Amino acid sequence: MRKIIHIDMDCFYAAVEMRDNPEYRDIPLAVGGSGPRSVLCTCNYQARKYGVRSAMPAAKALQLCPDLKIVDGRMAVYQEISQKIRGIFLRYTDIIEPLSLDEAYLDVSDSSECHGSATLIARQIRQEIFNELNLTASAGIAPNKFLAKIASDENKPNGQCVISPDKVESFVERLPLKKIPGIGPKTAEKLKQFGYHTCADVRSSNVSKLQQIVGKFAFSLYQRSFGLDERELETSRLRKSLAIETTLAHDISSVECADVVNQLFPKLVRRLEKHNDRSITRQGVKLKFADFNQTTVELQSQECDLEFFLCLLKKALARADNRGIRLVGLTLGFAEKEQGTSQLSLPI
């Protein structure tokens, strides 16, 4: 039986700013730009009480919380602290899958620290993060990645949750589907319309029925409803795509979009130079309209070609319906590393 820990720092960027600036500690705080088109990176728990959330437009956040203090991010500082956190992880295991600067999976199945107790290892890691960096973290401990990630959110902030093997059945059965990674609000609402609210509802169905609702995610969803997840930790993850985008200071018309693509393309090429060992498989153009709806057009391609981007732009603009454009983005997809697949015996 594997022992997986998911460590998730509590409102990481905001917590660093509160640590370094005492005047921010007792006020609603967010990290991100404060311009009319800016989006928040994260916010502290005082701000969340007002409904402020990560990835929310700054203008909307200020409507919900007029006293919100928005500060610029300091990415170099966050990266340095993230490396120190990883150093703490390495005291217990070298099987680490970082998901971002502020969260990671750890496989401690073979660790002899804390008498091999994953629960005690997680507790000690959190204590060392606090003692050495004056920051708090939450943890989930479970037999697999899926359950560990959900568990880390159960007792936030500054807490941990253990799902032992003998508790998996009861925990998963009553788990709301909206808590499963990969199920966003729209998918959760769609499942709800068909009578699927919890994992127990999914268990009583089958993959064929689920495919009609969630497509290729059906098999994974069915697995998760039984608490199954055979994924190993990816200690060296290959980038699957590369993207660059810009949120415009004001809405523009369709005829102005080509100029934005021409400005973005050289920046994308410069970023691509760092990944010259990767094979390109597709190009894409993303547009977000004035009403915040968005569209993406992608087609197969083996190179980064400006003219091809402009052709994709025309296809995307055909969906504009006279709406203004507030964001333009370019994407490249890379060939994925071939991986073996394992099959679980589940009813279909």
Side-chain angles (χ1 to χ4, degrees):
M1 185 65 69
R2 291 190 299 166
K3 301 175 185 178
I4 307 298
I5 300 173
H6 179 253
I7 299 286
D8 191 7
M9 300 300 295
D10 299 323
C11 61
F12 182 49
Y13 298 172
V16 172
E17 299 305 328
M18 290 189 292
R19 182 196 70 176
D20 296 347
N21 301 276
E23 66 271 24
Y24 296 160
R25 292 177 186 172
D26 298 315
I27 64 172
L29 179 74
V31 176
S34 56
R37 297 299 183 117
S38 299
V39 175
L40 304 184
C41 296
T42 190
C43 60
N44 66 3
Y45 290 98
Q46 290 96 318
R48 296 182 193 190
K49 294 177 182 178
Y50 293 87
V52 178
R53 294 289 182 269
S54 302
M56 177 178 285
K60 182 178 179 180
L62 288 167
Q63 289 177 351
L64 293 171
C65 181
D67 294 329
L68 182 68
K69 174 73 173 179
I70 302 178
V71 299
D72 293 331
R74 297 181 294 156
M75 191 54 63
V77 174
Y78 308 145
Q79 290 172 338
E80 181 183 355
I81 296 172
S82 181
Q83 285 300 312
K84 292 178 179 178
I85 294 170
R86 183 180 176 87
I88 294 174
F89 295 161
L90 286 168
R91 298 169 190 172
Y92 299 89
T93 180
D94 59 358
I95 308 177
I96 302 168
E97 179 184 341
L99 300 179
S100 60
L101 293 180
D102 62 341
E103 63 174 318
Y105 290 111
L106 286 67
D107 188 330
V108 296
S109 304
D110 298 322
S111 177
S112 59
E113 298 293 329
C114 301
H115 307 289
S117 169
T119 301
L120 295 179
I121 289 174
R123 186 175 299 157
Q124 193 156 308
I125 286 174
R126 292 174 47 241
Q127 187 63 52
E128 290 177 8
I129 290 173
F130 181 77
N131 291 345
E132 298 174 28
L133 301 171
N134 198 21
L135 296 168
T136 65
S138 297
I141 304 96
N144 59 50
K145 292 166 65 172
F146 158 61
L147 292 171
K149 185 169 179 63
I150 290 176
S152 68
D153 199 46
E154 288 291 294
N155 294 316
K156 267 188 166 291
N158 197 23
Q160 66 182 55
C161 172
V162 182
I163 305 175
S164 56
D166 60 316
K167 301 294 184 183
V168 169
E169 175 74 18
S170 59
F171 180 88
V172 175
E173 187 175 30
R174 64 178 184 272
L175 186 69
L177 296 180
K178 64 182 180 181
K179 288 195 173 186
I180 296 179
I183 295 184
K186 291 184 179 179
T187 304
E189 183 60 32
K190 192 174 182 181
L191 286 163
K192 183 178 178 181
Q193 291 173 2
F194 284 86
Y196 298 99
H197 303 271
T198 68
C199 285
D201 299 323
V202 173
R203 290 183 187 185
S204 63
S205 184
N206 58 60
V207 175
S208 297
K209 290 181 180 178
L210 293 169
Q211 282 178 331
Q212 299 173 30
I213 305 171
V214 296
K216 61 183 181 181
F217 186 60
F219 185 73
S220 178
L221 175 57
Y222 198 74
Q223 285 182 309
R224 303 297 181 263
S225 73
F226 287 90
L228 299 175
D229 182 7
E230 289 190 330
R231 293 174 301 163
E232 300 290 337
L233 270 63
E234 298 180 32
T235 55
S236 57
R237 179 175 294 176
L238 287 175
R239 178 184 282 272
K240 296 180 180 179
S241 63
L242 189 67
I244 187 169
E245 61 185 39
T246 181
T247 299
L248 304 159
H250 55 83
D251 295 342
I252 64 173
S253 65
S254 297
V255 295
E256 298 173 273
C257 282
D259 290 337
V260 179
V261 169
N262 281 312
Q263 293 168 15
L264 288 176
F265 182 74
K267 298 178 183 178
L268 182 66
V269 171
R270 286 196 292 272
R271 292 189 182 184
L272 182 60
E273 290 173 353
K274 299 178 182 179
H275 306 279
N276 56 15
D277 59 331
R278 303 301 307 280
S279 298
I280 297 171
T281 59
R282 68 185 188 278
Q283 289 184 219
V285 168
K286 171 184 173 183
L287 298 179
K288 183 178 287 187
F289 303 111
D291 59 4
F292 286 89
N293 287 314
Q294 65 183 44
T295 188
T296 300
V297 175
E298 290 187 336
L299 287 175
Q300 291 183 348
S301 174
Q302 294 182 334
E303 57 184 334
C304 180
D305 180 76
L306 176 58
E307 292 303 318
F308 195 67
F309 275 126
L310 292 171
C311 289
L312 294 176
L313 175 64
K314 291 181 181 179
K315 294 179 181 292
L317 288 173
R319 306 170 183 175
D321 297 326
N322 296 318
R323 289 174 291 182
I325 313 297
R326 63 177 284 118
L327 178 148
V328 179
L330 307 179
T331 63
L332 294 172
F334 295 137
E336 294 187 14
K337 184 180 179 181
E338 291 186 4
Q339 296 178 339
T341 57
S342 60
Q343 296 292 330
L344 295 180
S345 179
L346 292 172
I348 59 171

